[in-house]
Amino acid sequence: MTEARPVVEGANHTVAAADGYEPVIGLEIHVQLSTRTKMFCGCEIRFGERPNTHTCPVCLGLPGALPVVNERAVIFAAMIGLAFGSDVARRSLFHRKNYFYPDSPKGYQISQYDEPLCRGGRLGDVRIHRVHLEEDAAKLEHISASGRIHGSERSVVDFNRCGTPLVEIVTEPDLRTPEQAREWLTLLRATLRALGVSDVDMSQGSLRVDANVSVRRAGSRELGTKTELKNMNSFRFLERGLRAEIDRQLGVVRAGLTVEQETLHFDPASGRLTTLRSKEEAHDYRYFPEPDLMPLEVGDELLQAARSAIPELPAQRAARFEHDLGLSAGRARELAFRGELGDYFERVVAAADAAPAPELANWIPLLVERIGSDTDPAGSRVAPEGLAALAAMVSRRELSRDAARTVLSRMVEIGGDPSSLAEREGLLALPGGDGQLAELVERAIAQDPGAAEQVRANNMKAIGPLVGYVMRETKGRADGGEVRRLILERLAPH
Amino acid sequence: MTAALVQLTAAQAGARVRARELDPRELFEAYRQRAATDELNAFTWVAEAPAAAGPSPADAPLGGVPVAVKDLFCTEGVPSQAGSRILEGYRPPYSATVVERLTRAGAPLLGKTNQDEFAMGSSTENSGFGPARNPWDRARVPGGSSGGSAAAVAAGLAPWAIGTDTGGSIRQPAALCGVVGFKPTYGACSRYGMIAFASSLDQAGPLTRDVTDAALLFGQMVGRDPRDSTSLKFPEPVRLPHADSLRGFRLGIPEELTGTEGGVEPGVRDAFDRSLELAEKLGAAIEPCRLPHAPHALSAYYLIAPAEASANLARFDGVRYGLRVDGEADLLTMYSRTRAAGFGLEVKRRIMLGTYALSSGYYEAYYGTAQKVRTRIAQDLHAVFERFDLIATPTSPWTAFELGAKLGDPLQMYLNDFCTVPMSLAGIPAISIPCGLSDGLPVGFQLAGPAFSENRLFEAAFALERAIGYDGSPARG
Amino acid sequence: MLDRDQVLHVARLARLELSGEELERMASELSHVLDHIEKISELDLSDVPPTSHVVDAATPLRRDEPEPCLPREVVLAGAPEPVGDGFGVPSPGAAPA
Ligand SMILES: [Mg+2]
Ligand SMILES: [Zn+2]
């Protein structure tokens, strides 16, 4: 699905190809699960509330408190694994990952290590290495040190987020370009959204992406030394961060130097990469089996519950749009990878009687363009029935394409059905057969005989000004195709 | 009157309250006064009055008999410091499940008892609040880590108490103070609200004057807790023991844990042997048996427990509660100085040992190997229990030692747990009962059985207790 | 055997500041204990599975239903440095004072 395509911008990559180097990218994605309560305690998950109002002894790491696994989090994680076709382990283990940081109340994170819940599988072209369950950290807010003469800068910890269930998804290093990474993430996000297991909102931090990046000689099977790029919080930053790091590494190897293993942070404002940790400073997490939790067993019942909760997934939907409805592969992905567009499109198809699905599909991007790319069309003033009716009017030649676009804009603004809108605004097409169009064609030829002559001489480029004249005269209500047909009929050498 | 009251066992006192022959307030006050004037440093906090929340004592199974609780159990609004300066004055917002259960069963909280810091120690000398003393000889230690609980019960400052046992921390102080100490099957009692030392080993249990009290108190502590994922449903009701013989009991004596090569003192061995003779007279079939890996149990234990502790104690970081030192410095300095100032030497030693055992490059050699030894020890015990109902050993290789005697040498101190650690590693129940004196100091006799054999264990210990006829009352004068 | 540098490294991992004297003492004591403990490495433990939990059972699962949380005042009651609604700490990454 995501075959590597030439990069449009970023000339370095073309140079890289000439140099014979290729980038290798693997992703590690943390996904907040949308359960009601936290991973190991009964605190309700609420964001944007007063700090430290959704906590208990467990998620505050008070002395003596113990974790208990949230069943729904396990079901959600199993659903993700099943969606990837991973092996869902009947028995997996929780480990403690030890590190000191103010956002980690116990001094360790309960995570999974060498016996994760899911292994293997794939999404699109990218193989999945593993999927495991863990808990989120608290939120640290930096406050200004103004007023403090002595002492260090302060931060404030809010534990409301602490303990939110997370799924960590680790891919194999199968990605080759930043664009590919971005498109694959779009598929992942759509898949998780379709599963209903997460809000997958990068700006809210419910989807967080780290990338492992290396470069190597094209065709080589060995992997170069990788660096880790931390926490890129939007699709755009991910793409830019990856590009910056790939460029940096290419610069290093071209200079005959070697890439050092390190952890980097990409600052989108400056476009600069800064080192967070060198190899020497790498953490020693001292993983060991979490003694407070017995092994996690996934029984038939739970697995069945997970399996039956899986709806049609974006990749399957894209294939169905392409093969059953005849959409182009690109349009099919465009609609299927944004679930709300796919849903809306299917409602338009259901409402339409005559217009073919590919024709209907073409109207969705036009609608998105008008309502804004972040808006769900289902929430707009344009009902699916209205869009179907609009498309039908065009295919019945009651409305020109240009006029239909104007009608669509009006529908977005004020709602209503397209035929009365078109009539009220005087946009209905001029039927070709009643002589009015034929007369305009005559006038067009008469006022630009030069163009007419060239068309007669088979220079088809010259037809533009003639069609343009008629369209102008009819304020776009004429059907461009019909006008063209009439001009050619009139000027054709008999 | 007060002196007479405190001579009663908890079961006797509770029965009188339930028969409405004894005013529970009078009982509470008698103990409260004794606890408040404690000269053994057995208590770190004593209640003013029974908490208002409890049930009517006369209708409750434990009859209003107050209970002393080891400091490391969280008690809502009441200091819970686990013997550590890093938690000085800490009052948790919730109570441990076990404490809640006892309160509901009619055993109000009498006070919190002294202990080795975070239960790391065998003498209660590692307390951040000064050492507790042995009522038999105040120049000697009460054992540990539940030394405050053992001393309080032995001295009649409390009718009964609860403690925790990770590698012997209930049984060993019970032995050194001449009381009964019982470590249940791992998972029988909830660990929720117990400030963790080594999570895969820690168990709560009773310290009491006799076996009946132990069974009575345990019966109200036991049970699956939805807040502790490692707690289990106890498979049968806990019964009060009444056996007067040991007929039908096959008793194995593991050579590795009873011989003098394990460091068992001759006086201890004598008292142990005399009790074995009594057991035989009561009808038990006694035979030697082997636990080939038991001599390695201490090594495995002193890797596994510190490793888990190193993580469990990471939460004491000066951010949310407890001590903070140098908060104006940078984060790393604040962390390191807070922990350096708040933890005592033994805790630091074990954190260091555990951190090292888990660190990159050493995990397999230390922690991984220790876990395999643990498997072997459990297998050894499993094999023994195919031939025997119970095994018996001395509880501690020696009697109460003088304060300071073993502080200079950690290894010597660790040998205290020689006979108790194998049961902890295997998660099986074990009880220590007093079996006489050696040079005027109490000796403990340990019985252990397979997982969930508690009722059998109580029966055997009860019959033997009767036959031994030990009376610890001199220490309660 | 643990040398001084290893002890320093472990102390840093464990966030424990040790004085020079403590460092020496810790190095010798830990070495002494480890010398004894290391005897287990002589055992033949091939094919022996590790035991991390003595109980052979699956972890129980909790229904995803909310339980009451602690009041904020209670949560912050023991905080060494309450700042507004949260816990104040030295900023990670801030330069040493
Ligand atoms: Mg993670
Ligand atoms: Zn919570």
Side-chain angles (χ1 to χ4, degrees), chain B residues 90-105:
Chain B
Y90 175 65
R91 291 169 189 260
Y94 76 108
S95 288
T97 299
V98 160
V99 173
E100 261 184 6
R101 284 195 181 176
L102 292 183
T103 310
R104 260 188 276 129

Side-chain angles (χ1 to χ4, degrees), chain A residues 370-424:
Chain A
R370 284 162 173 76
I371 60 175
S373 59
D374 291 332
T375 312
D376 181 350
S380 76
R381 290 203 168 85
V382 183
E385 295 74 21
L387 196 67
L390 184 69
M393 287 177 74
V394 174
S395 53
R396 286 198 299 267
R397 297 178 185 279
E398 293 164 21
L399 208 53
S400 78
R401 244 165 237 291
D402 283 349
R405 286 174 192 224
T406 310
V407 172
L408 182 60
S409 298
R410 296 296 287 151
M411 288 167 78
V412 167
E413 285 157 23
I414 59 171
D417 83 285
S419 68
S420 43
L421 267 175
E423 189 161 358
R424 186 151 24 107

Side-chain angles (χ1 to χ4, degrees), chain A residues 30 97 109 111 132 134 168:
Chain A
H30 285 90
K97 178 182 182 179
Q109 178 195 36
S111 181
H132 74 246
E134 57 186 35
E168 181 175 328

Side-chain angles (χ1 to χ4, degrees), chain B residues 324 337 349 362 366 375 425, chain C residues 6 29 38 49 51 81 88:
Chain B
R324 169 188 283 193
R337 293 201 181 145
R349 250 186 221 129
Y362 297 96
Y366 290 124
T375 306
L425 288 172
Chain C
Q6 277 174 301
E29 282 173 354
E38 266 163 359
T51 295
E81 185 190 344

Side-chain angles (χ1 to χ4, degrees), chain A residues 38 40-44 54-60 159 162-163, chain C residues 68-69:
Chain A
K38 295 184 177 180
F40 297 116
C41 64
C43 289
E44 199 163 0
H54 289 268
T55 65
C56 73
V58 178
C59 57
L60 284 169
F159 289 92
C162 187
Chain C
C69 295

Side-chain angles (χ1 to χ4, degrees), chain A residues 37-38 69 72 154-155, chain C residues 53 62 64 67 81 85 91:
Chain A
T37 67
K38 295 184 177 180
V69 176
R72 199 192 307 265
R154 311 315 285 176
S155 295
Chain C
H53 305 84
R62 176 178 57 81
D64 186 25
E67 282 180 52
E81 185 190 344
D85 292 332
S91 285

Side-chain angles (χ1 to χ4, degrees), chain B residues 381-455:
Chain B
L381 281 161
H382 197 77
V384 162
F385 289 130
E386 303 214 317
R387 289 177 47 222
F388 297 93
D389 298 293
L390 306 172
I391 55 170
T393 76
T395 307
S396 168
W398 44 63
T399 54
F401 46 92
E402 287 179 0
L403 266 85
K406 294 180 196 290
L407 273 182
D409 184 353
L411 262 188
Q412 269 299 306
M413 190 67 95
Y414 296 170
L415 282 171
N416 269 295
D417 302 330
F418 184 75
C419 303
T420 47
V421 148
M423 297 79 187
S424 298
L425 288 172
I428 60 173
I431 191 166
S432 175
I433 61 169
C435 70
L437 303 178
S438 163
D439 279 339
L441 293 169
V443 175
F445 182 96
Q446 177 178 233
L447 282 168
F452 298 112
S453 66
E454 267 80 348
N455 280 324

